[in-house]
Amino acid sequence: MNLLFLSEQRTKRGAALLFSVVLSLGAPAEKPTVPVVGGVVRARYELMTTDGRSRLAVRNARIWVRGNIIPRLSYVVSTDLCDQGKFKFLDAYAKFDVGKGVAMQAGQFRIPFGVDPFRGPGSYIFADRSFIGRDIDDIRAVGFQTSYRVPGQTAAVITAGIFSPNAITDQNHWSKTFHYAVKAEVPVGPVRITGGWQTVKPEAVRMNMTDACISFTSGEWSAEAEYILQHYVNQPFPDCHACNVWVDYGIPLKKTLFNRLSFQGRFDASTRYSDGSLTGGSLSEVFPDRKRISAGSTLSYVNKGVKCEIQLNYQKYFYRKGYSAPEGRNDKVVAELIILF
């Protein structure tokens, strides 16, 4: 009994010492910062030009809270109260700034891969996301990642992580497999070059994905070209190739309620796509070969982190002959009001 008591005391003292060391890594003890609350609301009207049907929807009512417990330890919690009428819990993670350009992050968040998937609903270029951002690489998971910001003028960032393969709506499963991802970003003047690789296994089939992207911003011009290759391991299903190319040109406005008028054009496409699920032992096709041309215009008011936009888009889809597209994936006009705060 005495030996057991001494062992328990040593364990408690060791745990207390470890905890104090971890706290000392952050910074001198200070009060937590006041949480910052933000959000975005997107209300839209859509008209399918193929048959005249239309709908009204609250596309997003997203809220997030972020702050610092100590100067080097921050947190983010976000949820969508109305994603087309559905509640979605999105992010919940803590981030620790180790120092010398190294940071660690743990919790539930988006896997570090791709560029367009990382745009939030307050910064979308078009009312509807690209095929890459909406269908092929819209992956949030529970996991851990570490990043390193290269010192110097390049400010390049390398991020790598390991994640659970379980859906974020059901985290009570044990598994022997994981998702892995690595992403590198290198700014060169007005250009940002991004590359990444990830391997995921949400179902019975593992999928390896490679991403490359070039982004450009100068004055009132912005443009981007992104490409993703998705390979299905040990499966006869053909690789999926997807691209997203867009350009945006803005005009400053004066003496009006809004302060910017912009025009956008986009081409995005993908070959046959599967999400890795099996039907009768074979991969099922979720989408066939498809292409889309989008054109739009946006009136914006932006000031000190607050934004209001009125966006109007037209989207033209191209499918193989005889294919019946799902609702909402046909030619349409979209009008949207976006408020970011």
Side-chain angles (χ1 to χ4, degrees):
M1 292 293 292
N2 289 336
L3 290 175
L4 179 60
F5 175 77
L6 290 174
S7 176
E8 290 178 349
Q9 289 296 100
R10 292 193 186 99
T11 301
K12 291 178 180 179
R13 285 197 297 270
L17 178 61
L18 177 61
F19 184 68
S20 64
V21 169
V22 171
L23 287 181
S24 68
L25 290 174
E30 296 183 15
K31 292 182 179 180
T33 59
V34 177
V36 176
V37 179
V40 60
V41 176
R42 297 168 64 212
R44 67 161 54 181
Y45 170 75
E46 296 175 275
L47 169 66
M48 286 196 295
T49 59
T50 52
D51 59 14
R53 288 186 298 161
S54 62
R55 69 176 180 178
L56 290 162
V58 176
R59 186 58 185 85
N60 295 103
R62 188 170 297 189
I63 299 292
W64 57 80
V65 179
R66 61 177 180 268
N68 289 73
I69 300 300
I70 54 177
R72 290 191 182 183
L73 182 61
S74 60
Y75 62 88
V76 172
V77 177
S78 70
T79 186
D80 208 319
L81 304 177
C82 186
D83 185 340
Q84 299 182 98
K86 298 179 180 179
F87 175 88
K88 288 185 178 181
F89 185 67
L90 301 172
D91 299 307
Y93 63 85
K95 185 176 182 180
F96 180 54
D97 182 6
V98 179
K100 296 184 178 180
V102 179
M104 297 185 295
Q105 185 171 308
Q108 177 174 300
F109 48 92
R110 191 173 291 281
I111 290 180
F113 180 81
V115 175
D116 198 59
F118 273 80
R119 290 192 170 91
S123 59
Y124 292 155
I125 310 301
F126 293 86
D128 281 341
R129 290 176 294 168
S130 67
F131 298 145
I132 288 176
R134 181 174 59 180
D135 301 324
I136 297 175
D137 190 41
D138 186 17
I139 306 176
R140 274 184 169 86
V142 177
F144 169 83
Q145 74 175 32
T146 183
S147 62
Y148 174 65
R149 183 174 295 274
V150 180
Q153 296 181 351
T154 60
V157 180
I158 301 173
T159 307
I162 179 172
F163 300 86
S164 168
N166 301 325
I168 59 176
T169 54
D170 186 5
Q171 302 175 13
N172 195 30
H173 286 179
W174 297 80
S175 178
K176 292 183 178 181
T177 62
F178 292 94
H179 296 340
Y180 304 93
V182 61
K183 179 179 179 179
E185 304 171 72
V186 182
V188 183
V191 175
R192 176 174 288 270
I193 302 171
T194 306
W197 179 84
Q198 75 173 352
T199 177
V200 298
K201 192 176 180 182
E203 298 286 343
V205 177
R206 181 165 289 281
M207 299 178 291
N208 296 334
M209 305 169 69
T210 303
D211 175 86
C213 181
I214 298 178
S215 307
F216 169 83
T217 301
S218 180
E220 297 301 328
W221 286 95
S222 295
E224 187 171 279
E226 184 171 13
Y227 166 77
I228 281 185
L229 168 65
Q230 179 163 304
H231 172 69
Y232 306 91
V233 178
N234 298 324
Q235 294 293 323
F237 200 90
D239 293 346
C240 176
H241 302 265
C243 69
N244 177 40
V245 181
W246 60 263
V247 61
D248 175 280
Y249 175 71
I251 303 172
L253 299 178
K254 298 180 180 180
K255 298 180 181 181
T256 66
L257 177 62
F258 297 90
N259 53 26
R260 187 175 190 264
L261 171 64
S262 58
F263 302 92
Q264 301 83 31
R266 175 180 68 185
F267 172 78
D268 63 332
S270 78
T271 57
R272 292 179 62 200
Y273 167 73
S274 173
D275 60 3
S277 58
L278 296 176
T279 301
S282 301
L283 278 172
S284 56
E285 178 186 275
V286 177
F287 290 107
D289 292 348
R290 51 190 170 149
K291 301 178 181 68
R292 177 174 58 179
I293 296 175
S294 306
S297 180
T298 305
L299 268 172
S300 306
Y301 170 79
V302 182
N303 184 28
K304 297 180 180 179
V306 176
K307 179 165 68 174
C308 175
E309 291 185 337
I310 298 175
Q311 195 170 67
L312 181 64
N313 288 174
Y314 173 70
Q315 304 172 21
K316 174 68 177 178
Y317 288 77
F318 301 89
Y319 296 102
R320 67 175 179 240
K321 187 176 181 180
Y323 176 75
S324 180
E327 283 189 320
R329 303 294 183 109
N330 285 307
D331 301 352
K332 61 181 177 178
V333 175
V334 183
E336 194 165 76
L337 171 66
I338 306 108
I339 297 175
L340 174 70
F341 59 92

